Amino acid sequence: MSGFKSLFKQTFIYGLATVLPRMLSFLLVPLYTTKGVLSSVGEYGKVSIIFSWFVIFNVILSYGMETAFFRFFNKEDDQEKVVGTSAISLIVSSLGFFALAFLFKTQISALTDIKQEYISLVIWILLLDALVIIPFAWLRAKGKSMRFALLKIASVAVNLGLNIFFLIYLKKWAENSAFFESVYIPNFEINYIFISNLVASAVTLVLMLSFYFKIQYRFDNALFKKMMRYAMPVLIAGIAFSVNETFDRILLDYLLPEDIADTKIGMYSACYKIAVFMTLFATAYRLGIEPYFFSHAKSENPQKNYALILEFFVAFGSVMLLSIVVFADVLKPYIVRSEEYWEAMWIVPLILIANLCLGIYHNLSVWYKVTDRTKFGAYISVFGALITLALNFWLIPIMEYRGSAIATLVAYTSMMVASYYYGQKYYPIPYDLKKMGLYLLVSSAFSVISFYAFRENYIVGISLLLGFVLMVAMLEKNRILQIIKSK
C-alpha cells in the first residue's frame, strides 16, 4: 500500500498543476457570461465554436507523440535519443503546419465560417502550444511536477489577467484616458480573448526555451518509425475523442437554424462548464497515474494495483458526481452569471455522469497502453465518435442541445464498456466489478432523482448524498486505513 501513498502524492501535485490553472481559467466563464462583457449569449457561442476547433487541431498537431514519448522514454536505454527525436519531429511538423495554415487561411475561413482575423490568431496559438508539448512531457517524465505546476499556473494567470484587462478595465479606462482610448477598439471582444490566449502561449514557450537549449538534437529514424507506429493509433483515438468532446458545438452550429444556433451553443457551452469539476478530477488523476502505469508495467502482479486504482477512482468520482448535482443550482450563479444561460441547466447531470464514465475509460485504457495495443484505443474512440455523430445528427433537430448531452453520455458509456470487455480479453485485470458498478449506478440514480424529481429540495438531496457517502466509507474503510498506515 506504500506505493499508493506515493501515487496519491504525485496525483495531488499533478492535480495542482492541472486543477489550479483550470480553476483560474474557469473564472473566465463567469467573466464571459456576465451581462455587458460580451454583447450577447451568441457571442459566447461563437467563442465556444472556435475553441472546439482548437481542441481538434491540438490533437492533430501533437499526433500522439506525447504518449509515444512516455512509452519510449521508459522503454529505451538511450533516453536522450528519445527526447531529441520527438522534439525535432514536433518542431518540423509544427512549422510545416504553420506555413500551410497561413497559406490557406482564406479557404479555412470559408470552410469553418470563422473570420480570417480569428483564424490568424488561432494559427499562432496552435503553433506556440505545439512547441511546448515535448518540454512539458519531459518535465512529467523526469518527475519535475512542481515546475510543471508553476509553468501551467503562470500561463493561465497571464491569460486570465489579460482577459480581465481587455474585457473589463480597458473599456472603462478608455472613457477617462486619451492613451487608453487610442488603444481600445470597440466590438473587439472576441479578438481580445484570443490575443490574451496568444500572449499566454508565447510566455509559456519563452519560459520553456531552456529545454531546447539543453537537449541533444539527435534524430534516430528507426526510433522515429517505432514511435510513429505507436503514436498513429493514439492520434486516431485523439481525433475521435475530440469529436466526442467538442464536435457537438460544431454540429449544433450546422444543424440548428442560423438565427438561434449561436445562442443555443452559448447556453449549452456555459452550463457544460459546471461539469468541469469532474473533468478536473479525472484529468488530475490521469496525469498522476499515467507515468505509474508505465513504470510499474513490469513489476510483479501490476494488475492487482491497477484494479485498486480504478476502484478508488470510481468511489471518489461517484461521491463528487452526486455532490455537484445536489448543489448544482447553488453553484450556477457563481459560474454562469447571467440567467440568460440557465435554460441549459438540464444537461448538467448527464454531462457529469458522462465525464465520470470517460474518466473510468481512461483508467481502463491501461491495458492497451502497457501491452502496445494502442490500435484498440483508436478502435474504441472511433466507435464512440460514430455514436456521437449519429446521435447528434438524429437528436439535435428534435431536442437541440439536449440531444447533444444524451449523445455524449451514450458515447462515453459505450467506450467504457467496450474498453472493459476487450481489456479483460487481452490483459485481464481483477476489477471488483460489483462494487464499482454499485458506486456508479447508485450515484447516477441518486443524481437523476435529486435533480429531475427533487431539484433544489436540499433535504432530499443532502440525505441522498450523506447516505451514499456513508455506504462508500463503510465499503472502503479498511483499504483507506491501510494506505494511511503504510510507510
Side-chain angles (χ1 to χ4, degrees):
M1 286 289 177
S2 60
F4 283 103
K5 183 178 281 189
S6 173
L7 170 63
F8 291 137
K9 286 180 181 177
Q10 189 81 341
T11 302
F12 176 74
I13 295 173
Y14 280 118
L16 287 177
T18 305
V19 173
L20 288 181
R22 292 196 183 186
M23 285 304 292
L24 286 171
S25 64
F26 185 55
L27 294 175
L28 292 173
V29 179
L31 174 63
Y32 296 157
T33 58
T34 298
K35 283 186 177 180
V37 172
L38 297 179
S39 60
S40 66
V41 176
E43 287 290 282
Y44 184 61
K46 291 177 182 176
V47 172
S48 301
I49 293 168
I50 296 171
F51 275 115
S52 297
W53 286 112
F54 254 117
V55 172
I56 294 169
F57 278 97
N58 274 327
V59 171
I60 293 171
L61 287 175
S62 65
Y63 52 89
M65 187 55 71
E66 182 182 22
T67 304
F69 173 87
F70 280 120
R71 180 58 172 161
F72 286 88
F73 189 86
N74 287 284
K75 187 177 182 180
E76 295 287 321
D77 294 330
D78 190 346
Q79 293 180 333
E80 289 298 326
K81 184 171 64 176
V82 176
V83 175
T85 300
S86 52
I88 292 170
S89 174
L90 259 296
I91 291 171
V92 172
S93 60
S94 300
L95 293 175
F97 161 81
F98 179 79
L100 286 171
F102 256 100
L103 184 63
F104 294 104
K105 67 179 180 180
T106 303
Q107 290 82 355
I108 295 171
S109 176
L111 182 65
T112 59
D113 197 26
I114 297 171
K115 291 182 180 180
Q116 279 196 52
E117 57 190 295
Y118 305 154
I119 295 290
S120 298
L121 291 169
V122 167
I123 292 168
W124 274 104
I125 296 166
L126 288 169
L127 170 67
L128 297 175
D129 288 349
L131 291 176
V132 296
I133 290 171
I134 297 302
F136 273 122
W138 181 82
L139 288 178
R140 287 176 60 197
K142 287 287 188 178
K144 298 179 183 290
S145 51
M146 286 306 299
R147 189 178 175 198
F148 179 95
L150 290 173
L151 288 167
K152 288 285 188 180
I153 292 168
S155 174
V156 183
V158 171
N159 192 356
L160 174 63
L162 288 174
N163 267 277
I164 293 172
F165 168 71
F166 283 130
L167 298 178
I168 296 180
Y169 291 104
L170 181 58
K171 184 177 181 179
K172 290 181 179 179
W173 293 346
E175 295 172 358
N176 303 304
S177 166
F179 170 75
F180 287 111
E181 185 180 8
S182 66
V183 175
Y184 175 69
I185 304 173
N187 303 315
F188 205 64
E189 287 80 10
I190 294 179
N191 297 74
Y192 284 143
I193 289 171
F194 292 111
I195 290 170
S196 301
N197 202 319
L198 175 61
V199 174
S201 296
V203 168
T204 305
L205 179 58
V206 170
L207 293 174
M208 295 293 285
L209 276 179
S210 60
F211 166 85
Y212 285 107
F213 289 110
K214 69 175 64 171
I215 67 172
Q216 299 176 21
Y217 287 92
R218 296 159 51 200
F219 187 84
D220 186 292
N221 193 51
L223 173 63
F224 174 72
K225 288 179 180 178
K226 288 193 291 183
M227 293 181 76
M228 288 305 295
R229 279 196 294 270
Y230 186 89
M232 278 301 99
V234 178
L235 168 61
I236 295 169
I239 293 172
F241 172 71
S242 65
V243 169
N244 289 326
E245 186 178 14
T246 64
F247 212 71
D248 49 4
R249 279 77 157 182
I250 296 168
L251 289 176
L252 284 165
D253 185 41
Y254 176 72
L255 294 170
L256 290 178
E258 187 176 347
D259 59 330
I260 66 168
D262 287 343
T263 300
K264 294 294 183 179
I265 295 166
M267 293 175 180
Y268 176 69
S269 299
C271 291
Y272 200 106
K273 290 291 185 180
I274 295 176
V276 76
F277 298 106
M278 182 64 71
T279 307
L280 293 176
F281 166 67
T283 303
Y285 206 90
R286 180 176 61 82
L287 286 170
I289 65 171
E290 198 168 60
Y292 178 91
F293 283 156
F294 288 123
S295 61
H296 287 71
K298 295 181 180 178
S299 63
E300 185 178 349
N301 194 20
Q303 291 94 329
K304 182 179 179 181
N305 287 339
Y306 295 160
L308 287 176
I309 288 169
L310 181 57
E311 185 177 320
F312 283 126
F313 176 84
V314 176
F316 295 149
S318 296
V319 171
M320 181 173 290
L321 162 66
L322 185 53
S323 301
I324 298 169
V325 170
V326 168
F327 296 105
D329 287 295
V330 176
L331 293 170
K332 74 182 180 187
Y334 300 99
I335 300 169
V336 182
R337 299 295 297 276
S338 174
E339 295 180 14
E340 294 176 296
Y341 294 85
W342 292 356
E343 175 191 307
M345 281 295 293
W346 184 90
I347 71 167
V348 171
L350 300 186
I351 298 301
L352 282 164
I353 297 169
N355 278 290
L356 177 56
C357 291
L358 179 63
I360 296 171
Y361 164 75
H362 282 309
N363 280 267
L364 289 168
S365 69
V366 60
W367 71 269
Y368 65 74
K369 290 180 178 178
V370 300
T371 61
D372 291 346
R373 289 186 172 94
T374 52
K375 64 181 181 181
F376 279 93
Y379 296 156
I380 294 169
S381 294
V382 169
F383 169 63
L386 291 173
I387 292 174
T388 296
L389 292 172
L391 288 180
N392 270 287
F393 274 109
W394 176 35
L395 295 175
I396 286 174
I398 302 170
M399 305 174 65
E400 298 179 348
Y401 53 74
R402 290 177 174 82
S404 293
I406 293 169
T408 301
L409 175 59
V410 174
Y412 288 160
T413 303
S414 301
M415 290 167 62
M416 175 185 70
V417 172
S419 186
Y420 174 80
Y421 173 80
Y422 286 105
Q424 294 304 97
K425 184 176 180 180
Y426 291 101
Y427 188 77
I429 296 175
Y431 294 119
D432 190 337
L433 200 58
K434 289 183 179 179
K435 189 185 289 187
M436 292 190 300
L438 178 68
Y439 293 156
L440 183 59
L441 290 174
V442 172
S443 65
S444 298
F446 282 4
S447 295
V448 169
I449 292 168
S450 174
F451 192 85
Y452 296 112
F454 296 96
R455 185 171 174 183
E456 295 189 84
N457 184 331
Y458 294 106
I459 295 175
V460 173
I462 293 172
S463 298
L464 292 172
L465 176 59
L466 290 176
F468 182 71
V469 170
L470 181 62
M471 181 188 80
V472 173
M474 290 179 63
L475 292 173
E476 298 295 342
K477 65 178 180 179
N478 291 334
R479 282 175 177 162
I480 293 172
L481 288 173
Q482 282 182 301
I483 293 174
I484 294 171
K485 292 177 182 178
S486 64
K487 296 182 179 179

